[in-house]
Amino acid sequence: MEIVFEVKNSTGIITLNRPKALNALNLNMAIQFSDKLREWENDNKIERVLLLGEGNHFCAGGDVKSVHLSGPFSKLKQEFFSKEYSLNLQIKNFPKPYLSIWKGVVMGGGVGLSIYGDYRIATDSTKFAMPETSIGFFPDVGGSFFLAKLENNLGKYLGLTGEIVQGKDLINFNLATHYCPENKINNLISQFIIDGSITNYEIENSSFFTDEKLDFIDKNFSGNIHEIFNNIQNVNNQDGLLEKLQKKCPMSLAVTTLLIKNSNNRSLKNCLEIEYRLSQKMTNRHDFEEGIQAVLIEKHHKPKWEPKTIDEINNNELSSLFNDPIDNELKLQNSIYSS
Ligand code: QUE
């Protein structure tokens, strides 16, 4: 079973169960997850939901390897992203307390399964990131919603660089709601299952995002991707940031910047519908194939992006990714619980 459902003491427990694939979410899991949530939403015996990852990690993302292997313009590309994004919205609208334990890797699709819930528990091993610009994709699952809400250009920074965020910073940015030391996680889970309460532990780790770093991000990550590169080129002491960004997919960087810049005040539903159109276009570009090969299949980590640099981006291609309609646009349902 790739996903396991249990009920203990009026708590519905969901365990992502593909530990060898870091619990990456595939279509089958997304369908079962969504069906079970719908059942539990209407079940008076269920008072709350707990989401766990089997093994050492929460969830590495969507199963983009299968998406890639399904070939150009496949049915799976349509089905997987429409199911995943509608599940993200379903979680946002789920009317009962929903808690995720952020053990280990919490990336991409894993963020989408947890960030719209009520409680996200960071622990000592938590590694949170939106790393999709490394695979020729973009920060989806509502990245244009929750990253755009982060202040002082932080969301743009996280979406472009894919940088890992940990304990204290996750709390400071309100990405996690609570911290719990690794050796107290089982206590926290038992308590939540019994009565829905959550112990909040004081976090002792220090922050990696110093005031100086946050100030740097605020100053240099405004505007479009060309302005951002220009800004960074003109400062010293940038800690290899330019080199890091130059390794990412240029078209992904341009798409991510535009997406986050233009998403302020959009609803999650609207963001996901826009992202769906982008998902279909981006997963059928050469760069996605290149990125998946480089990072997940051959693992040589030397993708040959086309175009190679942001300066070679064709603005018509860039705007067509956002503006040209596709055959099967995603139209999500408004929830009866809509907030
Ligand atoms: C960027 C990503 C993903 C990634 C690596 C990136 C991603 C994803 C996985 C992943 C990791 C391990 C697995 C798996 C998938 O890695 O979205 O099936 O076993 O799912 O640099 O966006």
Side-chain angles (χ1 to χ4, degrees):
M1 297 295 264
E2 298 177 325
I3 184 164
V4 176
F5 305 99
E6 301 161 87
V7 175
K8 284 188 196 163
N9 241 331
S10 65
T11 302
I13 306 172
I14 306 175
T15 307
L16 307 170
N17 189 31
R18 293 177 74 217
K20 283 185 190 146
L22 309 184
N23 298 321
L25 181 81
N26 61 27
L27 177 61
N28 167 48
M29 292 156 79
I31 291 170
Q32 292 193 53
F33 196 134
S34 170
D35 289 349
K36 188 56 76 175
L37 269 194
R38 190 160 305 117
E39 182 190 318
W40 283 348
E41 180 174 314
N42 298 309
D43 182 342
N44 290 334
K45 295 189 290 302
I46 299 292
E47 291 182 26
R48 61 190 82 85
V49 167
L50 170 65
L51 177 60
L52 304 170
E54 182 61 41
N56 297 328
H57 299 283
F58 179 68
C59 176
D63 183 4
V64 281
K65 198 149 107 181
S66 299
V67 168
H68 157 73
L69 293 172
S70 68
F73 301 96
S74 67
K75 192 112 189 98
L76 182 67
K77 282 178 181 168
Q78 295 180 17
E79 288 178 347
F80 175 70
F81 290 107
S82 59
K83 197 73 215 180
E84 184 184 24
Y85 298 173
S86 56
L87 175 57
N88 298 144
L89 187 63
Q90 193 184 352
I91 292 166
K92 173 127 197 303
N93 293 326
F94 188 72
K96 303 174 188 183
Y98 181 109
L99 179 147
S100 305
I101 304 285
W102 274 358
K103 259 191 318 181
V105 164
V106 181
M107 298 190 183
V111 175
L113 296 179
S114 49
I115 195 93
Y116 308 115
D118 305 279
Y119 309 108
R120 288 126 7 226
I121 315 301
T123 183
D124 305 301
S125 61
T126 310
K127 289 187 166 60
F128 172 106
M130 293 300 286
E132 294 87 349
T133 57
S134 291
I135 57 164
F137 200 52
F138 65 98
D140 65 338
V141 295
S144 56
F145 181 79
F146 69 85
L147 292 175
K149 284 195 187 312
L150 296 173
E151 292 179 333
N152 305 322
N153 296 317
L154 179 65
K156 236 196 251 173
Y157 176 83
L158 296 181
L160 290 173
T161 62
E163 190 161 304
I164 289 170
V165 190
Q166 305 186 57
K168 178 88 168 207
D169 294 313
L170 290 171
I171 301 280
N172 288 347
F173 303 153
N174 200 26
L175 291 166
T177 58
H178 297 69
Y179 164 78
C180 179
E182 208 89 43
N183 63 359
K184 295 284 197 295
I185 290 276
N186 286 339
N187 297 8
L188 183 139
I189 290 174
S190 311
Q191 197 61 47
F192 183 72
I193 288 172
I194 291 166
D195 64 3
S197 68
I198 307 161
T199 313
N200 200 9
Y201 295 88
E202 200 64 39
I203 183 162
E204 282 159 24
N205 315 7
S206 55
S207 166
F208 288 98
F209 286 74
T210 58
D211 288 348
E212 194 185 358
K213 177 163 171 147
L214 290 170
D215 191 49
F216 175 91
I217 291 168
D218 187 21
K219 284 208 179 78
N220 292 293
F221 279 75
S222 61
N224 65 34
I225 192 62
H226 301 285
E227 294 168 301
I228 294 173
F229 267 76
N230 270 332
N231 291 339
I232 296 171
Q233 267 155 350
N234 290 327
V235 294
N236 30 17
N237 210 355
Q238 33 128 321
D239 208 13
L241 180 59
L242 185 63
E243 288 72 20
K244 275 179 215 154
L245 284 175
Q246 281 167 338
K247 290 202 174 81
K248 309 291 180 189
C249 169
M251 188 59 95
S252 293
L253 294 176
V255 164
T256 299
T257 311
L258 266 179
L259 182 67
I260 295 177
K261 201 155 82 70
N262 294 337
S263 291
N264 260 329
N265 305 319
R266 279 187 189 140
S267 66
L268 176 60
K269 172 178 175 295
N270 193 212
C271 284
L272 290 166
E273 288 170 350
I274 291 166
E275 289 176 17
Y276 179 74
R277 183 189 283 183
L278 281 174
S279 77
Q280 299 306 296
K281 306 258 182 80
M282 292 296 275
T283 57
N284 286 307
R285 291 182 74 256
H286 164 80
D287 284 339
F288 182 71
E289 189 171 330
E290 195 66 23
I292 299 293
Q293 287 291 345
V295 174
L296 294 176
I297 299 178
E298 294 170 18
K299 306 187 184 179
H300 54 67
H301 293 275
K302 297 220 174 335
K304 292 197 177 67
W305 305 124
E306 290 175 15
K308 266 206 312 267
T309 66
I310 55 163
D311 294 328
E312 294 163 271
I313 287 174
N314 176 331
N315 279 324
N316 291 330
E317 190 194 355
L318 178 57
S319 65
S320 77
L321 294 173
F322 286 89
N323 297 329
D324 287 5
I326 53 172
D327 288 342
N328 301 289
E329 303 278 0
L330 182 61
K331 197 81 193 82
L332 292 167
Q333 297 289 310
N334 272 310
S335 164
I336 52 164
Y337 299 106
S338 200
S339 44

